[in-house]
């Protein structure tokens, strides 16, 4: 799907949501949510080859795959959390959006914990000599 199709879908959806919000505000929120999910699904299929290529490059460079996996997982969490938080803001729930973003930060920290442990282990081995 090219950029014009994505932009067109976004603009048409925004107009539909705007019109619906005048008559039934709750329907406008649903349109925003559904378009966000559809676009996310479409873009995920487009990004998968890029992610696979990144893993191949890391493998060819003898970079431990754990580090790449943590990076890709954190990137995925960021994308999902951003969409969820923006959807909450669109619905007029800024406080919930902030809590969703905080939850995403905690999940990123938790996903990186094994990598931090490994790095600390390497440092400990270097210090011990």
């Amino acid at each position: 799907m090219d950029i014009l199709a994505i932009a067109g879908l976004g603009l048409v959806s925004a107009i539909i949501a705007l019109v619906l919000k005048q008559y039934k505000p709750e329907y406008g929120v649903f349109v925003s949510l559904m378009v966000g999910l559809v676009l996310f699904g479409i873009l995920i299929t487009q990004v998968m080859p890029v992610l696979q290529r990144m893993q191949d490059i890391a493998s060819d460079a003898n970079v431990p795959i754990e580090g790449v996996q943590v990076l890709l997982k954190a990137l995925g969490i960021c994308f999902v959390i951003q969409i969820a938080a923006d959807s909450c803001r669109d619905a007029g729930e800024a406080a919930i959006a902030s809590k969703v973003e905080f939850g995403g930060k905690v999940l990123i920290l938790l996903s990186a914990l094994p990598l931090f442990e490994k790095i600390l282990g390497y440092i400990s081995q270097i210090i011990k000599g």
Side-chain angles (χ1 to χ4, degrees):
M1 179 173 251
D2 66 344
I3 190 68
L4 293 176
I6 293 170
L9 179 61
L11 289 173
V12 169
S13 303
I15 291 168
I16 291 171
L18 192 62
V19 170
L20 285 175
K21 283 182 184 180
Q22 292 176 354
Y23 301 104
K24 293 278 190 173
E26 60 274 8
Y27 291 161
V29 172
F30 288 125
V31 169
S32 296
L33 287 172
M34 291 310 297
V35 170
L37 290 175
V38 168
L39 283 174
F40 184 72
I42 291 169
L43 293 174
I44 283 295
T45 61
Q46 300 294 316
V47 169
M48 292 307 288
V50 174
L51 298 178
Q52 183 60 45
R53 182 68 183 132
M54 288 174 66
Q55 285 184 332
D56 293 343
I57 291 170
S59 175
D60 292 344
N62 292 327
V63 174
I65 198 68
E66 296 88 14
V68 175
Q69 287 174 339
V70 168
L71 177 66
L72 295 177
K73 188 174 182 180
L75 187 60
I77 290 169
C78 287
F79 286 146
V80 171
I81 292 299
Q82 186 66 49
I83 289 171
D86 287 345
S87 296
C88 290
R89 282 190 192 89
D90 287 346
E93 296 295 335
I96 294 174
S98 295
K99 289 165 183 63
V100 167
E101 288 173 339
F102 177 72
K105 291 172 186 174
V106 170
L107 290 175
I108 290 171
L109 182 62
L110 289 174
S111 69
L113 191 59
L115 189 59
F116 289 138
E117 289 173 345
K118 198 168 208 173
I119 290 170
L120 289 176
Y122 289 146
I123 291 171
S124 174
Q125 289 176 354
I126 291 170
I127 290 175
K128 290 179 182 176

